[in-house]
Amino acid sequence: MSMADSKLTDLMEEHGIKVTANRLIVARSLHASLMPMSLAELERQILTLDKSSIFRVLNLFRDYHLVHVIEDGAGGVKYELCHSHSANADEDAHAHFHCEVCGRTLCLDHVPVPIIRLPEGYEAHSVNYLIKGVCPDCLPRK
C-alpha cells in the first residue's frame, strides 16, 4: 500500500467509513485532483467503476463528512476531499472561486468561511461559500 493510500485509509477510518476497493479508488481520484470534481469528471477518470457506484461512494462520503459538496457556480455540483478528522463536522471549511471565463471551480484553502450568526431556531448543516469572478489565469485574456 502506498503512503497516499495509507493516509486515505486512515482518513476514512477516522470518519467511520469502512475501507473498500471502490471507496479507495474514489478517494484516490479526489485526493489527486487539484480542483473539486464533478460526478461526470470522476466517471471519465475512473474507468473501472460505473456512474452509480461512484455516486453511491460520494453520497456515503458526504454523509460522513469526508467530502465537501460544492455548488460550482454553473448549476452543477462538485466534490472535494475533506481533510478534517471528524465524521460529524467539516473542520476545514473554506471558500471556493468559480471563474466565469474558463468555468473552473477552485479551492481557496486559506480563505475560511466567515462565521454567520443565524436567527434563533435555525440550525446550519453545511455552508457553501462561492465567489464568482475571473481567475488569475484568465484575467490577462479579459
Side-chain angles (χ1 to χ4, degrees):
M1 182 181 295
S2 73
M3 179 65 90
D5 282 357
S6 177
K7 286 183 179 182
L8 291 172
T9 297
D10 290 347
L11 192 59
M12 280 191 264
E13 289 172 351
E14 287 175 359
H15 284 259
I17 297 171
K18 180 182 176 193
V19 179
T20 65
N22 287 0
R23 293 170 186 170
L24 190 56
I25 289 168
V26 174
R28 246 188 236 132
S29 290
L30 290 169
H31 176 71
S33 178
L34 300 176
M35 296 182 267
M37 298 179 74
S38 68
L39 176 59
E41 290 166 332
L42 283 164
E43 187 181 12
R44 283 191 299 273
Q45 184 175 3
I46 303 172
L47 302 177
T48 57
L49 299 177
D50 63 22
K51 183 178 187 173
S52 63
S53 295
I54 297 169
F55 187 68
R56 281 193 301 275
V57 170
L58 290 171
N59 280 335
L60 176 79
F61 285 1
R62 181 203 62 220
D63 291 346
Y64 284 84
H65 297 273
L66 187 60
V67 292
H68 295 287
V69 180
I70 302 137
E71 296 168 21
D72 72 358
V77 174
K78 296 200 175 190
Y79 303 86
E80 72 175 332
L81 201 58
C82 178
H83 294 285
S84 71
H85 299 283
S86 171
N88 300 315
D90 296 333
E91 300 165 352
D92 67 340
H94 55 271
H96 294 88
F97 188 91
H98 176 75
C99 180
E100 296 170 322
V101 175
C102 66
R104 294 182 301 164
T105 301
L106 307 163
C107 294
L108 300 177
D109 291 321
H110 302 295
V111 179
V113 172
I115 296 171
I116 305 294
R117 291 177 162 237
L118 294 174
E120 190 171 325
Y122 289 86
E123 179 180 307
H125 292 160
S126 67
V127 174
N128 185 17
Y129 195 76
L130 181 72
I131 302 160
K132 293 182 180 183
V134 181
C135 73
D137 293 340
C138 293
L139 201 54
R141 291 186 267 158
K142 189 175 174 203

